[in-house]
Amino acid sequence: FSRQNRQESFEQAPMYVAVMTYLGYGIVTLFGYVRDFLRAVGLEKCHVAQERDEQKDFVPLYQDFENFYTRNLYMRVRDNWNRPICSLPGPVFDLMERVSDDYNWTFRLTGRTIHNVINVGSYNYLGFAENNADFLKTVADTTCQFGVGVCSTRQEMGNLSIHEELEKLVANFLGVESSMTFGMGFATNSMNIPALVGKGCLILSDELNHTSLILGARLSGATIRVFKHNNMHSLEKMLREAVCSGQTRTHRPWKKILIIVEGIYSMEGSVVRLPEIIALKKKYKAYLYLDEAHSIGAVGPSGRGVTELFDVDPTDVDVMMGTFTKSFGASGGYIAGKKELVDYLRSHSHSAVYASAMSPPVTEQIIRALKCLMGKDGSTEGIRRIRQLAENSRYFRARLKEMGFIIYGSDDSPVVPILLYMPGKVVAFAREMLDRRIGVVVVGFPATPITEARARFCLSAAHTRDMLNQVLHHLNEVGDRLCLKFSRRKYSSWPDLCEETDFELDS
Ligand SMILES: Cc1ncc(COP(=O)(O)O)c(C=O)c1O
């Protein structure tokens, strides 16, 4: 985990790949227009969502481009998303087979199951999405004692003893004074940011921040400025400008400046440059909000996230946020930090005041996972899982680089994006991998820039070396078959033997 050995790369694709990618989108767009014409003249059946004739004078319900993109691009490849799963989302899972009789406009389940698909798409970083009855005993006992739903908010009848136990445990785990938990990770961001900043405040937000952070920022009414992803020059320039010029019209000083970043970025696999950001926030007297949805549990020698990975003091982060949906195999989120901050949010955050409290079995699942990570269950299972995940991530990333794929992100990150670029290849890749019983997540425009469509792998401590080797074997074959190995770099087969100076810290 040493800082010197950390490599983070964002290799650019060769020029011909960008040209072919634009050409690919160009061709499907052209076909789209031709088919729209055929639909308009009645030569092709039309399933389009469109206003009825008597609605035509109203403001249009459907945006032109979105409508066009959905009909002509997304519909052709829709079979690769939203597949129904009929088992635990563990390292291996079962899918329900489905077919479409109308070119993906609707799907029909065949009643058959596709068994034993290796799952490299779920965020089950530490393997806590599991159904071993021994491990889940306390969760079952809690369900028998408290039931499943709380039927009230924390401030009314919904404040259970296990909620308080969980909050103490979270604060203890993170090394801060206090914490509050919420039933939903998304709402933890979108409802707490507006409680912290408002009009007259400035938010500096990383350009790749999650939608829940963007929504929270917009709801707050604060001014939002977006800095380049993980780019300290861009952030410092904005901070300097904000301090020198103050608010846009009045030039009064900003009431607060809040920097919002994530620990690990879920589409890039990159790790936040935390020590530099802390130095900047101290220099310019700003506050820092850190979303650890993908990093808590997943990085750091004892799973305490990016503060531990970089060996920085967690109290230097003003607002620590995280979710329980990934490493903990549960649901919900937390805000942690100074007691004053948490007490303030308890009475001012909409999700604290108006939302029902976290479900008891979910609460107990998080408690048991935390106890396991902290060794409070009397075992070393938590540490074993953390080490296994780190080993799996490094092994998988090293083999992919050796094969010649372009992958993004940090060596420490269990999120591994493989760049596929061309729309046709994205679809062929997902279908080919499923035929080989490997469940992958593929992502393209508008979730990524148009030229950077990718497959996003999420590794787990529950993946055995044998499973990873199977995935790598198929990736190698599919990579050759679909010509996906675009990297022009040479990698040593054993990265640990590389000279330290070979590693780029900032590319
Ligand atoms: C960075 C980040 N923050 C917040 C969330 C929302 O969390 P949840 O899915 O637990 O509601 C996500 C979800 O993926 C995320 O990636």
Side-chain angles (χ1 to χ4, degrees), residues 16 60 117 126 163 181 194 197 234 299 383 397 489 494 504:
Y16 82 90
V117 177
L126 293 176
H163 291 137
T181 56
V197 284
S234 172
V299 292
I383 286 292
R397 281 178 166 275
R489 291 184 184 166
W494 296 104
E504 308 148 56

Side-chain angles (χ1 to χ4, degrees), residues 123 184-186 189 210 212 262 266 291 293-294 323 325-326 332:
Y123 314 121
M184 186 187 184
F186 194 99
N189 280 332
H210 189 257
S212 53
E262 294 182 24
S266 61
D291 177 339
H294 289 270
T323 68
T325 32
K326 281 98 188 166

Side-chain angles (χ1 to χ4, degrees), residues 1-25:
F1 278 118
S2 79
R3 234 195 274 180
Q4 294 87 330
N5 279 358
R6 185 163 307 116
Q7 184 185 19
E8 190 146 306
S9 71
F10 292 92
E11 186 184 342
Q12 287 228 324
M15 183 54 109
Y16 82 90
V17 175
V19 173
M20 298 294 284
T21 307
Y22 279 119
L23 208 63
Y25 279 108

Side-chain angles (χ1 to χ4, degrees), residues 113-389:
T113 303
I114 311 172
H115 290 286
N116 293 326
V117 177
I118 299 181
N119 176 5
V120 274
S122 300
Y123 314 121
N124 182 20
Y125 299 128
L126 293 176
F128 282 114
E130 57 197 349
N131 55 6
N132 178 324
D134 291 339
F135 291 163
L136 294 182
K137 182 165 182 325
T138 57
V139 178
D141 292 347
T142 303
T143 315
C144 292
Q145 187 183 349
F146 293 99
V148 173
V150 179
C151 307
S152 182
T153 64
R154 295 285 295 277
Q155 297 204 340
E156 292 163 356
M157 301 290 189
N159 192 28
L160 305 184
S161 51
I162 48 171
H163 291 137
E164 300 210 347
E165 181 187 348
L166 173 61
E167 287 173 353
K168 285 201 186 96
L169 215 53
V170 170
N172 194 265
F173 180 65
L174 296 171
V176 294
E177 285 174 16
S178 188
S179 85
M180 169 151 200
T181 56
F182 303 86
M184 186 187 184
F186 194 99
T188 309
N189 280 332
S190 56
M191 295 290 103
N192 281 302
I193 296 172
L196 296 170
V197 284
K199 212 161 170 278
C201 300
L202 175 67
I203 290 177
L204 298 179
S205 176
D206 188 290
E207 66 178 331
L208 295 185
N209 274 346
H210 189 257
T211 317
S212 53
L213 295 165
I214 298 170
L215 180 63
R218 288 187 181 157
L219 288 176
S220 74
T223 302
I224 305 167
R225 290 185 189 151
V226 177
F227 62 92
K228 289 201 187 115
H229 175 53
N230 239 346
N231 185 319
M232 296 305 108
H233 296 299
S234 172
L235 175 59
E236 179 157 24
K237 203 168 147 220
M238 284 186 186
L239 278 167
R240 199 181 311 123
E241 216 274 318
V243 171
C244 295
S245 309
Q247 295 186 38
T248 319
R249 263 187 305 127
T250 60
H251 296 290
R252 285 204 199 122
W254 293 100
K255 290 182 187 161
K256 283 178 220 161
I257 301 177
L258 182 66
I259 303 169
I260 303 184
V261 291
E262 294 182 24
I264 289 184
Y265 287 82
S266 61
M267 282 294 164
E268 315 297 300
S270 47
V271 176
V272 66
R273 296 171 67 166
L274 192 60
E276 286 132 292
I277 293 187
I278 290 179
L280 284 179
K281 79 136 208 156
K282 285 185 178 168
K283 183 170 166 192
Y284 293 95
K285 304 215 169 357
Y287 294 96
L288 177 59
Y289 185 108
L290 172 67
D291 177 339
E292 292 230 67
H294 289 270
S295 51
I296 195 67
V299 292
S302 60
R304 285 170 165 83
V306 283
T307 51
E308 192 185 34
L309 183 70
F310 288 103
D311 197 18
V312 301
D313 185 350
T315 58
D316 279 341
V317 179
D318 303 283
V319 189
M320 303 264 270
M321 181 272 167
T323 68
F324 301 118
T325 32
K326 281 98 188 166
S327 296
F328 300 89
S331 70
Y334 67 80
I335 295 275
K338 286 213 171 78
K339 186 169 178 305
E340 285 167 83
L341 166 85
V342 175
D343 287 349
Y344 172 82
L345 288 177
R346 272 186 211 286
S347 54
H348 286 80
S349 152
H350 277 58
S351 57
V353 181
Y354 299 110
S356 267
M358 187 185 273
S359 158
V362 169
T363 313
E364 179 53 35
Q365 159 76 1
I366 306 164
I367 292 177
R368 90 165 173 100
L370 274 171
K371 284 186 173 164
C372 180
L373 294 184
M374 295 163 89
K376 283 183 189 269
D377 61 350
S379 80
T380 52
E381 176 62 13
I383 286 292
R384 188 200 64 75
R385 290 186 190 211
I386 292 162
R387 290 197 182 142
Q388 187 65 56
L389 177 64

Side-chain angles (χ1 to χ4, degrees), residues 9-11 268-269 397 406-410 415 417 419 452 454:
S9 71
F10 292 92
E11 186 184 342
E268 315 297 300
R397 281 178 166 275
I406 294 188
I407 59 171
Y408 277 178
S410 158
V415 178
L419 274 289
E452 290 181 44
R454 62 197 69 176

Side-chain angles (χ1 to χ4, degrees), residues 38-55:
L38 295 178
R39 284 181 198 121
V41 296
L43 289 175
E44 187 169 323
K45 200 170 164 199
C46 182
H47 300 275
V48 185
Q50 62 184 8
E51 287 85 359
R52 296 197 306 273
D53 275 345
E54 63 271 28
Q55 293 174 312

